[in-house]
Amino acid sequence: MALSSSSAIRHQSFSLFATTHSSLVPPASHRTAAAIVEAAPLRERRASSLINIPATLSSLLHLHLERKPDDRSVGLPPPAVGRNNPTVSPKEDISSLFPEIHGYADWSPLLNPLHPWLRREIIKYGEFAQATYDAFDFNPLSEFCGSCLYGRHRLLDKLGLARNGYRVSKNVYAMSHVELPRWLERSLHADAWCTESNWMGYVAVSDDAESRRIGCRDIVVAWRGTIAPTEWFEDVQGKLEPFGEAHADVKVEHGFLGVYTSKSDRTRYNKTSASEQVMEEIKRLVSHYRQRGEEVSLTITGHSLGGALALLNAYESASTIPDLPISVISFGGPRVGNVAFGEKLKEMNVKVLRVVVKQDMVPKMPGILFNEGLKRFEHVTGTLEWVYTHVGLELGLDVRSSPYLKHGLDVAGFHNLETYLHLVDGFLSSDKEFRGNARRDVALVNKASGMLRDELHIPPCWVQMANKGMECNAYGRWVKPAREPEDIPSPYREEAQL
């Protein structure tokens, strides 16, 4: 959002300069023909010397910002459903496609065109990732800043996701000894709940009805990411390091690995690392349901930094638990590791689907210049261990495909997870237009962005805390309400219960 604000300031400054400058120049009627002719080449030289910053940035990062001819003159399409219609379709039994969606079979036949069952599953996991933002306490004046707003037993219910048929079994906390883009939120309160750790996601498991519908007992890990993509430019250094002593040739970005593996005995929530917390819970759940004779799958999801942590989590899970179908569905995730990392994931049958918006810069990092594109030169260079590479299949989306979205430069809006989910909901295939019967509420796009066209009259960033979290008590005083006891984070309450 800072980029949009600074752009507005620059625009206003330019407008002021243009107005002032024009007032100092005599009107054309008061100038001689010779003066006008003499000024024309100067204007042309000035125009040719100006740099179009958005176009230049688009060209360097291949953001595909060019507009279709007269695209703003085209009216909005009529809504597919009225405001009194549900935003989700009735659930269907998809167990017949278990091998393709949650099992070992390849996703490729279902991607282009996108199978409606797979579309709904992608959105389901995307909403689980979005929950890590919606339930996160970003308020620096709160003593619980950096924690989850709700206790795990009612987390999904408070966010309207209980309909998906999952329950949270464990919260996951992370810290880092390595500086990364601003992912760690700290409270300014004197009695802060914690100063070293943040709530980083959760583990959930499908209930009996949902397990029958999809054909397996599904364990989900949802990782929280970062919201401000502009910080990736400055702070991601792109340093590769081995995943561990037993994986010397497998190298991953050291900042991502730091978030995943950091721990300290001095902390309350990270005496064990995020890796240890999540792996302990995954192994416990897999053992529990396999003892009951059930088919078990693991699906790991995340957005941005969360997409990177999802890949690290999948790698460790596949290395630790044999014969477990593991899938990763990431949104706007960056490159994580080298060629050996990707090849090992493929060797261990980890299915990876990267949902990527073409205009989003984060999936292009790290390794904007040195990436998987260099594979074509391997016959000359050999395998380059220090080159970053993407993993798995890509579902490519384009902001320009939606008639509801603005087409200008909005770096934060391109990276917004709700923008991703909107585009997935409307995607049919790479050669077809945005589907007219998409049901997901378009207004969600503007929860934390301003990507929707002005004609929709939906205000940008409309999710606001009422009265900035203050409420009037029985004595007429405005106070910050206390959290419900269950919603207060406690390391002793994090013990999982089935």
Side-chain angles (χ1 to χ4, degrees), residues 313-447:
N313 189 186
Y315 184 95
E316 185 175 19
S317 300
S319 303
T320 306
I321 308 173
D323 304 322
L324 177 65
I326 300 175
S327 303
V328 175
I329 299 179
S330 70
F331 302 83
R335 296 184 181 93
V336 175
N338 64 355
V339 174
F341 176 69
E343 290 178 346
K344 188 65 176 177
L345 281 169
K346 185 176 181 179
E347 178 185 317
M348 295 187 294
N349 291 320
V350 175
K351 292 166 56 173
V352 179
L353 178 61
R354 296 181 300 105
V355 185
V356 174
V357 170
K358 292 179 181 180
Q359 290 81 5
D360 187 3
M361 69 171 70
V362 171
K364 306 176 193 307
M365 296 182 288
I368 290 179
L369 298 178
F370 301 104
N371 51 54
E372 60 274 358
L374 294 179
K375 286 181 68 69
R376 72 189 77 166
F377 303 113
E378 280 188 351
H379 65 285
V380 177
T381 64
T383 301
L384 301 175
E385 295 184 358
W386 46 268
V387 171
Y388 283 90
T389 182
H390 272 307
V391 179
L393 299 173
E394 177 180 306
L395 176 60
L397 307 172
D398 192 334
V399 166
R400 298 169 303 169
S401 68
S402 170
Y404 302 99
L405 300 182
K406 297 175 182 176
H407 294 176
L409 179 63
D410 186 342
V411 175
F414 296 155
H415 190 56
N416 186 351
L417 180 52
E418 287 290 359
T419 301
Y420 271 79
L421 298 182
H422 167 71
L423 292 172
V424 171
D425 193 37
F427 183 83
L428 288 170
S429 68
S430 58
D431 59 352
K432 290 185 179 179
E433 295 183 352
F434 198 87
R435 72 185 184 113
N437 59 345
R439 282 180 170 268
R440 199 164 194 275
D441 193 353
V442 174
L444 293 173
V445 173
N446 268 18
K447 276 169 59 176

Side-chain angles (χ1 to χ4, degrees), residues 14-37:
F14 178 79
S15 300
L16 179 62
F17 168 79
T19 304
T20 306
H21 179 70
S22 62
S23 65
L24 298 176
V25 178
S29 58
H30 294 175
R31 285 181 280 164
T32 65
I36 296 175
V37 171

Side-chain angles (χ1 to χ4, degrees), residues 23-24 42 52 113 128 138 152 160 162 176 217 246 320 387 450-451 473:
S23 65
L24 298 176
L42 178 61
N52 186 327
F128 285 144
F138 286 98
R152 61 182 175 85
S176 179
R217 183 72 64 171
T320 306
V387 171
M451 283 290 291
N473 67 12

Side-chain angles (χ1 to χ4, degrees), residues 91 128 153-167 207 210:
K91 283 188 174 184
F128 285 144
H153 292 296
R154 63 184 197 143
L155 167 60
L156 297 181
D157 183 52
K158 293 292 288 185
L159 299 180
L161 297 179
R163 67 178 187 275
N164 286 337
Y166 287 73
R167 58 176 182 76
D207 61 21
E210 179 68 2

Side-chain angles (χ1 to χ4, degrees), residues 176 178-180 235-241 252-261 336 388:
S176 179
V178 179
E179 286 298 322
L180 263 187
D235 295 320
V236 171
Q237 302 300 320
K239 177 184 175 184
L240 286 164
E241 67 176 60
V252 296
E253 207 282 326
H254 81 302
F256 304 151
L257 189 62
V259 175
Y260 188 64
T261 60
V336 175
Y388 283 90

Side-chain angles (χ1 to χ4, degrees), residues 80-336:
V81 293
R83 63 171 56 193
N84 296 325
N85 293 87
T87 58
V88 293
S89 302
K91 283 188 174 184
E92 297 173 290
D93 188 323
I94 64 172
S95 57
S96 60
L97 279 183
F98 160 73
E100 289 79 8
I101 296 179
H102 292 95
Y104 285 117
D106 191 6
W107 273 320
S108 297
L110 305 179
L111 285 178
N112 198 12
L114 183 59
H115 195 289
W117 292 358
L118 180 57
R119 178 192 296 110
R120 290 171 194 163
E121 290 300 288
I122 293 172
I123 292 175
K124 178 180 79 175
Y125 294 114
E127 290 178 338
F128 285 144
Q130 180 65 41
T132 64
Y133 296 128
D134 294 342
F136 188 75
D137 190 342
F138 286 98
N139 182 8
L141 300 179
S142 166
E143 64 266 43
F144 301 114
C145 178
S147 71
C148 182
L149 290 167
Y150 312 110
R152 61 182 175 85
H153 292 296
R154 63 184 197 143
L155 167 60
L156 297 181
D157 183 52
K158 293 292 288 185
L159 299 180
L161 297 179
R163 67 178 187 275
N164 286 337
Y166 287 73
R167 58 176 182 76
V168 176
S169 67
K170 188 177 184 66
N171 283 316
V172 180
Y173 297 86
M175 62 176 294
S176 179
H177 300 302
V178 179
E179 286 298 322
L180 263 187
R182 185 171 170 266
W183 70 274
L184 184 66
E185 301 288 339
R186 289 188 171 94
S187 173
L188 300 177
H189 199 282
D191 298 320
W193 72 289
C194 185
T195 58
E196 306 91 357
S197 304
N198 269 191
W199 179 64
M200 209 61 199
Y202 58 90
V203 183
V205 63
S206 57
D207 61 21
D208 293 344
E210 179 68 2
S211 299
R212 287 191 296 270
R213 188 186 76 85
I214 64 178
C216 64
R217 183 72 64 171
D218 186 36
I219 301 168
V220 172
V221 182
W223 291 96
R224 184 173 65 84
T226 49
I227 291 180
T230 52
E231 293 164 348
W232 288 86
F233 275 130
E234 180 179 351
D235 295 320
V236 171
Q237 302 300 320
K239 177 184 175 184
L240 286 164
E241 67 176 60
F243 193 89
E245 294 181 1
H247 310 271
D249 59 330
V250 173
K251 295 180 172 62
V252 296
E253 207 282 326
H254 81 302
F256 304 151
L257 189 62
V259 175
Y260 188 64
T261 60
S262 291
K263 61 181 178 179
S264 173
D265 289 334
R266 299 191 303 271
T267 67
R268 296 182 65 198
Y269 291 86
N270 276 115
K271 296 184 186 299
T272 57
S273 66
S275 161
E276 292 168 332
Q277 295 167 47
V278 75
M279 288 306 304
E280 177 186 19
E281 181 66 0
I282 291 172
K283 287 187 285 188
R284 187 184 71 83
L285 291 172
V286 169
S287 174
H288 174 80
Y289 288 109
R290 279 183 170 176
Q291 287 177 10
R292 293 171 50 172
E294 296 189 30
E295 184 79 44
V296 182
S297 69
L298 172 63
T299 308
I300 311 174
T301 187
H303 167 252
S304 193
L305 170 62
L309 298 176
L311 282 176
L312 297 179
N313 189 186
Y315 184 95
E316 185 175 19
S317 300
S319 303
T320 306
I321 308 173
D323 304 322
L324 177 65
I326 300 175
S327 303
V328 175
I329 299 179
S330 70
F331 302 83
R335 296 184 181 93
V336 175

